[in-house]
Amino acid sequence: MEVECFVSKTLELLQEEREAEIEETKLWQENVSLKDLQSKGVCLLKLQIGSQSTGLYGRSLLLLEPRKHMGVSVLPSNNFGPGDIVGLYDLDGCKPSSQLCTGVVTRISQSAVTVACEDSPDGLNLDTDALYNLMKLANDVTYKRMKKALNTLNGYSSGPAADLISVLFGYSEPGSISQPNDLSFLNTGLDESQRQAVSFALSQREVAVIHGPPGTGKTTTVVEIILQAVKQGQKVLCCAGSNVAVDNLVERLAKAKAKVLRLGHPARLLESIQKHSLDAVLAHSDNTNIIADIRKDIDKAFMGMKKMNDKRDRIHLKREVGELRKELRTREATAIAEVLKRADVVLATNTGANDGGPLKNLPVDHFDWVVIDECAQALESSCWIALLRGRKCILAGDYKQLPPTIKSHTAASKGLSVSLMERLIQKYGDSVVRMLTVQYRMNINIMTWASEQMYQGQLTAHSSVEKHLLKDLPGVASVEETSTPLLLIDTAGCGLSEMEVTDEQSKGNQGEVDIVELHIKALTEAGVKPKDIAVIAPYNLQVDLLRQRLSARHPDLEIKSVDGFQGREKEAVVLTLVRSNRKGEIGFLAEDRRINVAVTRARRHLALVCDTQTVQTHGFLKTLIDHMTQHGDVRTAFEYLQVEEEQRLTQIKYLEIKGQVEWFLQDPDQTELRFPSSLNSHDRLLVHQVAEELGLNHESQGEGKDRCITAGEEEDVTGPPVEQPAAPADLKTLHLERMRREQEKREQKKREQEKHLDTVRTAGQTQTAKKAKIAAAATADVDFDTLIDAVVKAERVCSFVKCKTLVIHLGQLCLFCNRQYCLGHHIPEVHGCGDQAKANARMRISKEGVLYAGSGHKDKSVDPNKKAYLHRKLDSKLKDMEKQRKTKPKESDNN
Ligand SMILES: Nc1ncnc2c1ncn2[C@@H]1O[C@H](COP(=O)(O)OP(=O)(O)OP(=O)(O)O)[C@@H](O)[C@H]1O
Ligand SMILES: [Zn+2]
Ligand SMILES: [Zn+2]
């Protein structure tokens, strides 16, 4: 009864889903512009043929790329994946009439897609200069196979899977079989929860579910289970929903010396896997020569037939060909069966394990175990294709991550999206499940939220990852961005609204793109490699906006939708939630599992860019915001916008001062330039910079002062009159120092207003250039930055060997060697202070016992964003001014 109900209901829902898919495709082809199709991710427009080659076993491969001269050659964000059936069209459109051929996607990267064509491209006459469209086709192969499996399930009476079916549909309780107590693990590194999962899987009679939350070593555990089964002499059929997941298992099993065999279109497999594919193994089998001989005989007979005139002879030959063909078929079947039987583990995608393929050559009861990985991401009906061949099944996955994608809302709501894993847990609870609880991916601060919200607080972080941060990576400097595992950049109240688009699938937010860009800049300038960063957005439109902005500069930066990152991890994840509106609408961000997937991709750093006011209307998202607020750093987007504004103002002020000084230099009658007392310490710093640049003597003077800064030609300098501050021991000291300074600045400002005048005087005149003395007011508490600048004033260019970059305005001081470097060389690891920096970091960690997580305040003086930006702007302005100066007629020099 249960089975019949399930089958009839599922067949109905599958039909509904199939119709929805066809309907959607039809609707799109008829009504939606190609551009819109592309933005939905089902179509790629105006592709060029990059190359055309013959792949393995005679399959022809087409490499398609975006048009090269369009600048950025990155494919728009799309839903194409390996194994998808696609149609190639000429530029007229994606109508059946303009279809050139169909094929299977074998590879897709951000810059190209490779298609294995069904027809040979020689016959197609493809033009390498022409442009083509590629469109995903709804394909019913999968449906047919699922339907067939369901029908077989319905009529199943006796066969290897009878007991399994009985348990999975609740006719009988799951049982167990006794196992030796002293199980010896092949992988001795397994943690306790993994060992328990393995023992449990071995001791269950019909079914075991392995629940593997993100980063808990699910594959590691599944591999051990399979190897143990093989050790016991079991034959295993192992499947997963995606080719990538299957290949991953093949790779790991082969490494452990298991006899594996991979079914599937060889062009769809990873290169390293191809030698384990059925085609490759067959090509090397003993039967191959005989089969080749038979083929030759058939060809010969055909040739002979053409020449023959006698009717009887022809009939005779025809019969012979028929015999040969029969022999060929049996020979081939035997060869395949032999190869399959020799393997201990046969691997395929869920639908690749169907009866129509190579498996038809095996007896139905050949396999003992069926293992299905990523079970929570698969339709239950697709699992039944393989399950019908097993006595026992192991299901692995995480039902707290994204379920299978389903087009029909009705079908989904009626239960089509419920995976077998979920259904079993609903039916039997924990008795059939073991959960892996040690995770090897996330910093504990990233993990805790997911653990509490999704995994009943059961996860622990392995010591190897518990405290790891970006700054611990080789070549990464310790700045605030790389020292915090959680950074919330809140756009609430900053006016960064989402774009007004009605389509739920395509939402964008330019403001958040700006913020993401600034943060990526900060990370990469601190030395984080773009390939270690993921930018994740829930919406395709936002993904495209981000790619347009970032991909040209960082081709290795992966920018994808949440769904595109499932099963992956990155050192740093930057997540933009896009939604920002008055109504607090969050659309499909409301799917908790989607947010869970996005957050748990991150190993060392998670930056969340969002409008907390909008997204907090959703309870689940609110827990994330609360967690990040409590355990991470919080910045408001204002700080980013403000920094840009400040940079602009600084630049204006700088040009103003410079203009004044230049006027002064050109006026022979003036010997002294006085700056108003309203100058603050920041502006005084600019005065110093201008004087530096023009090669002028300048000094700071003030009343009631203990010290002053004197600067001039290098020969004149006897050394800074101020004690050079010892290199601060750590960032905390720097921070405290800064806090103190802030306070003093405020007091100083008051005093200043009464007392000081800043002066610039000409000190003496030579024939070539006037020497001037610029005096700027200074008090006992001279700005710390000003001091440092004074100390390093002599160093005008980056101290890195051969680097000629000017560092007058925007150098960075290395605290270890005390030299000034340009922004490309200031990281200690880059210019050779790496060891000291690491030693210092280690010392700090052991001294404080904890990793230093940053102060939670944006440290403006070391913000690489700010510096780099200002650097660029000033450089270009300076060049302009230089030009103006040169073209201006010089007034004659005097005396
Ligand atoms: N017992 C262990 N000791 C040390 N590292 C482990 C252990 N188990 C797993 N890992 C590490 O954890 C990472 C993820 O493991 P694995 O590849 O098995 O998981 P996965 O199933 O692919 O990912 P997920 O757990 O997210 O589904 C790998 O880098 C692996 O080396
Ligand atoms: Zn250094
Ligand atoms: Zn340099």
Side-chain angles (χ1 to χ4, degrees):
M1 196 54 214
E2 286 280 335
V3 172
E4 283 116 73
C5 275
F6 171 81
V7 169
S8 63
K9 183 181 139 194
T10 307
L11 283 174
E12 206 175 286
L13 297 181
L14 278 180
Q15 188 57 32
E16 204 158 321
E17 171 67 1
R18 172 74 185 142
E19 272 160 20
E21 196 176 317
I22 293 170
E23 188 56 29
E24 187 181 75
T25 312
K26 213 172 88 191
L27 216 73
W28 287 351
Q29 286 193 332
E30 284 165 6
N31 303 315
V32 181
S33 74
L34 288 174
K35 246 184 98 194
D36 287 346
L37 285 179
Q38 177 158 276
S39 75
K40 282 181 187 295
V42 297
C43 187
L44 290 168
L45 301 175
K46 299 189 178 165
L47 300 174
Q48 261 177 348
I49 295 179
S51 67
Q52 207 170 315
S53 61
T54 305
L56 215 57
Y57 316 112
R59 270 123 172 158
S60 35
L61 299 175
L62 270 186
L63 181 90
L64 297 155
E65 301 167 322
R67 250 193 302 185
K68 276 281 153 60
H69 66 264
M70 295 294 285
V72 192
S73 57
V74 175
L75 291 173
S77 115
N78 61 72
N79 303 330
F80 285 65
D84 282 347
I85 311 255
V86 293
L88 186 71
Y89 301 83
D90 59 32
L91 270 194
D92 287 349
C94 287
K95 298 189 191 66
S97 59
S98 54
Q99 189 178 84
L100 300 169
C101 73
T102 60
V104 175
V105 173
T106 63
R107 252 180 72 88
I108 175 127
S109 68
Q110 289 196 54
S111 58
V113 52
T114 311
V115 177
C117 291
E118 295 301 324
D119 328 82
S120 100
D122 305 338
L124 290 172
N125 270 325
L126 295 176
D127 185 349
T128 42
D129 294 330
L131 295 174
Y132 300 92
N133 297 336
L134 198 67
M135 168 111 167
K136 252 173 96 156
L137 299 178
N139 95 72
D140 63 347
V141 181
T142 311
Y143 283 94
K144 281 187 182 145
R145 290 175 183 171
M146 288 194 287
K147 268 201 246 171
K148 187 163 174 239
L150 288 173
N151 286 322
T152 313
L153 172 64
N154 209 9
Y156 206 96
S157 51
S158 65
D163 288 349
L164 178 60
I165 292 170
S166 166
V167 169
L168 296 191
F169 286 98
Y171 297 112
S172 56
E173 290 283 308
S176 57
I177 35 180
S178 62
Q179 287 288 316
N181 292 332
D182 54 338
L183 177 61
S184 81
F185 291 96
L186 300 160
N187 178 349
T188 50
L190 296 183
D191 65 53
E192 191 47 36
S193 71
Q194 292 170 332
R195 285 164 180 256
Q196 281 184 13
V198 175
S199 314
F200 178 70
L202 291 172
S203 64
Q204 284 294 95
R205 197 169 56 208
E206 297 90 5
V207 55
V209 176
I210 309 298
H211 182 194
T216 52
K218 184 170 51 68
T219 310
T220 305
T221 309
V222 167
V223 165
E224 176 76 16
I225 291 172
I226 293 173
L227 294 175
Q228 290 285 352
V230 169
K231 208 169 87 179
Q232 293 183 1
Q234 315 283 352
K235 292 284 184 188
V236 181
L237 174 60
C238 178
C239 301
S242 69
N243 278 297
V244 182
V246 177
D247 284 351
N248 184 19
L249 283 160
V250 173
E251 224 159 29
R252 311 250 301 240
L253 286 165
K255 210 184 264 168
K257 302 271 184 298
K259 282 185 243 160
V260 294
L261 187 76
R262 167 70 152 108
L263 306 183
H265 197 305
R268 292 186 207 180
L269 313 184
L270 287 179
E271 224 157 293
S272 56
I273 299 301
Q274 284 175 344
K275 62 173 177 288
H276 303 296
S277 75
L278 179 60
D279 296 55
V281 177
L282 267 182
H284 293 106
S285 87
D286 300 340
N287 285 296
T288 317
N289 289 339
I290 306 173
I291 292 172
D293 283 347
I294 300 174
R295 285 222 175 92
K296 258 185 232 150
D297 288 347
I298 295 178
D299 288 346
K300 228 191 275 164
F302 261 116
M303 297 296 272
M305 219 148 53
K306 274 187 199 150
K307 289 182 202 138
M308 221 157 275
N309 292 324
D310 186 77
K311 210 175 180 182
R312 252 178 311 162
D313 284 352
R314 279 173 68 166
I315 290 170
H316 179 73
L317 253 188
K318 226 179 186 169
R319 199 176 301 135
E320 201 172 300
V321 168
E323 292 288 313
L324 282 171
R325 283 218 166 120
K326 215 163 141 206
E327 159 130 36
L328 181 67
R329 272 198 300 275
T330 36
R331 289 262 178 195
E332 274 180 337
T334 320
I336 290 173
E338 253 172 46
V339 167
L340 283 172
K341 280 179 184 162
R342 230 180 294 144
D344 286 325
V345 191
V346 175
L347 298 106
T349 54
N350 290 337
T351 53
N354 70 88
D355 281 342
L359 291 185
K360 69 167 177 263
N361 299 301
L362 282 178
V364 277
D365 62 350
H366 174 78
F367 293 107
D368 302 293
W369 290 30
V370 173
V371 177
I372 301 185
D373 197 4
E374 287 190 348
C375 182
Q377 271 72 57
L379 290 176
E380 173 165 355
S381 16
S382 75
C383 296
W384 277 109
I385 296 171
L387 286 177
L388 291 171
R389 288 181 167 269
R391 287 175 241 281
K392 165 171 174 174
C393 77
I394 310 295
L395 308 174
D398 180 12
Y399 61 100
K400 299 290 188 175
Q401 295 185 45
L402 285 171
T405 332
I406 288 170
K407 299 232 156 70
S408 157
H409 292 300
T410 20
S413 66
K414 284 186 194 161
L416 190 64
S417 64
V418 178
S419 66
L420 172 59
M421 185 171 182
E422 238 178 316
R423 191 169 72 72
L424 279 181
I425 288 174
Q426 279 164 19
K427 195 186 267 323
Y428 291 116
D430 290 345
S431 70
V432 291
V433 190
R434 287 296 177 272
M435 180 161 118
L436 308 178
T437 55
V438 183
Q439 65 84 24
Y440 300 85
R441 175 182 298 163
M442 295 165 266
N443 176 295
I444 187 164
N445 284 298
I446 302 173
M447 176 204 77
T448 314
W449 170 78
S451 177
E452 276 163 13
Q453 296 304 319
M454 295 307 243
Y455 307 104
Q456 303 96 46
Q458 291 193 49
L459 298 187
T460 57
H462 188 257
S463 57
S464 59
V465 300
E466 185 183 1
K467 290 175 181 169
H468 67 178
L469 293 167
L470 288 176
K471 66 172 184 185
D472 305 327
L473 289 170
V476 176
S478 171
V479 296
E480 258 186 45
E481 282 84 355
T482 59
S483 310
T484 179
L486 296 170
L487 173 63
L488 171 63
I489 307 175
D490 189 357
T491 69
C494 297
L496 308 181
S497 300
E498 69 190 48
M499 293 156 81
E500 306 264 340
V501 197
T502 45
D503 185 356
E504 168 62 24
Q505 284 293 313
S506 57
K507 298 275 178 207
N509 188 325
Q510 284 289 5
E512 290 193 6
V513 172
D514 293 341
I515 306 277
V516 170
E517 182 183 27
L518 287 169
H519 186 55
I520 295 292
K521 201 154 179 279
L523 289 178
T524 51
E525 279 173 358
V528 182
K529 295 194 185 75
K531 75 164 173 52
D532 288 335
I533 309 174
V535 180
I536 305 183
Y539 301 97
N540 278 339
L541 177 59
Q542 184 76 347
V543 169
D544 281 339
L545 294 175
L546 286 160
R547 285 186 181 176
Q548 279 162 21
R549 185 75 68 82
L550 295 165
S551 289
R553 206 174 323 136
H554 306 294
D556 294 337
L557 182 71
E558 273 195 78
I559 307 169
K560 286 203 178 119
S561 66
V562 184
D563 310 49
F565 267 113
Q566 181 137 315
R568 312 264 317 278
E569 62 174 30
K570 287 275 180 180
E571 301 295 351
V573 166
V574 183
L575 175 59
T576 135
L577 291 186
V578 180
R579 303 312 297 262
S580 175
N581 53 59
R582 292 239 180 95
K583 288 177 241 157
E585 278 177 4
I586 58 156
F588 86 152
L589 288 184
E591 167 61 274
D592 299 355
R593 290 177 285 190
R594 178 166 275 108
I595 304 298
N596 182 37
V597 171
V599 168
T600 54
R601 298 311 97 198
R603 288 172 52 82
R604 299 163 191 261
H605 174 83
L606 170 72
L608 177 65
V609 183
C610 71
D611 178 345
T612 56
Q613 246 160 41
T614 302
V615 303
Q616 268 188 37
T617 52
H618 182 53
F620 184 74
L621 281 169
K622 185 169 187 309
T623 64
L624 179 61
I625 306 289
D626 289 348
H627 176 81
M628 295 195 72
T629 311
Q630 250 175 49
H631 302 282
D633 286 1
V634 181
R635 294 178 185 174
T636 155
F638 265 132
E639 291 181 47
Y640 287 82
L641 307 173
Q642 218 176 337
V643 166
E644 294 225 317
E645 180 62 16
E646 265 172 30
Q647 285 166 349
R648 219 173 49 78
L649 290 177
T650 301
Q651 186 194 329
I652 291 169
K653 193 79 200 171
Y654 172 87
L655 295 175
E656 211 173 82
I657 291 170
K658 189 155 176 166
Q660 264 176 292
V661 174
E662 276 177 313
W663 266 111
F664 156 71
L665 287 179
Q666 282 168 10
D667 185 346
D669 299 335
Q670 292 225 23
T671 55
E672 190 176 89
L673 176 61
R674 274 168 178 271
F675 282 91
S677 57
S678 59
L679 279 196
N680 58 26
S681 61
H682 186 255
D683 293 348
R684 284 205 310 278
L685 174 60
L686 291 176
V687 173
H688 280 271
Q689 284 178 349
V690 169
E692 267 301 312
E693 205 192 309
L694 298 177
L696 300 173
N697 283 320
H698 60 283
E699 66 182 19
S700 301
Q701 296 177 330
E703 288 155 37
K705 68 270 153 194
D706 302 310
R707 354 164 169 156
C708 63
I709 305 169
T710 318
E713 300 283 352
E714 276 178 47
E715 315 90 74
D716 304 342
V717 182
T718 49
V722 192
E723 277 291 301
Q724 183 183 322
D730 57 33
L731 281 176
K732 202 172 204 167
T733 318
L734 259 184
H735 175 68
L736 291 175
E737 171 68 20
R738 242 173 238 121
M739 300 288 281
R740 191 182 58 74
R741 239 186 308 130
E742 291 292 330
Q743 174 67 20
E744 281 177 356
K745 256 192 235 164
R746 259 170 268 138
E747 289 164 12
Q748 175 194 346
K749 209 170 197 174
K750 259 192 240 151
R751 269 178 277 145
E752 243 176 16
Q753 277 165 356
E754 303 143 17
K755 286 185 190 169
H756 303 298
L757 278 179
D758 292 344
T759 54
V760 173
R761 284 174 271 107
T762 44
Q765 290 151 4
T766 65
Q767 268 156 347
T768 47
K770 241 192 238 181
K771 285 216 172 179
K773 219 176 185 186
I774 300 175
T779 56
D781 32 27
V782 172
D783 187 282
F784 186 73
D785 290 337
T786 316
L787 283 181
I788 291 182
D789 266 24
V791 168
V792 297
K793 69 196 175 307
E795 294 178 311
R796 287 153 169 276
V797 294
C798 170
S799 308
F800 193 74
V801 206
K802 285 188 186 157
C803 181
K804 294 280 191 306
T805 311
L806 282 176
V807 294
I808 303 166
H809 314 299
L810 285 164
Q812 286 256 17
L813 183 72
C814 171
L815 297 176
F816 302 103
C817 61
N818 233 333
R819 293 197 195 168
Q820 196 80 347
Y821 291 94
C822 75
L823 293 167
H825 295 124
H826 76 275
I827 296 168
E829 279 78 0
V830 170
H831 67 252
C833 288
D835 289 343
Q836 283 112 293
K838 259 199 214 109
N840 183 57
R842 266 199 298 276
M843 186 191 74
R844 217 165 62 226
I845 291 164
S846 57
K847 210 164 62 188
E848 298 173 14
V850 285
L851 290 182
Y852 192 64
S855 63
H857 294 278
K858 193 156 170 68
D859 180 353
K860 283 178 180 134
S861 64
V862 293
D863 186 340
N865 277 335
K866 179 179 175 177
K867 301 235 168 185
Y869 178 85
L870 192 53
H871 202 270
R872 265 199 335 267
K873 289 276 180 185
L874 281 181
D875 273 356
S876 75
K877 282 286 169 193
L878 286 177
K879 264 193 207 116
D880 285 350
M881 292 195 54
E882 204 170 23
K883 255 189 241 150
Q884 279 171 15
R885 259 202 316 276
K886 278 178 189 150
T887 50
K888 224 186 263 171
K890 276 247 163 82
E891 291 193 31
S892 63
D893 273 322
N894 41 20
N895 1 25

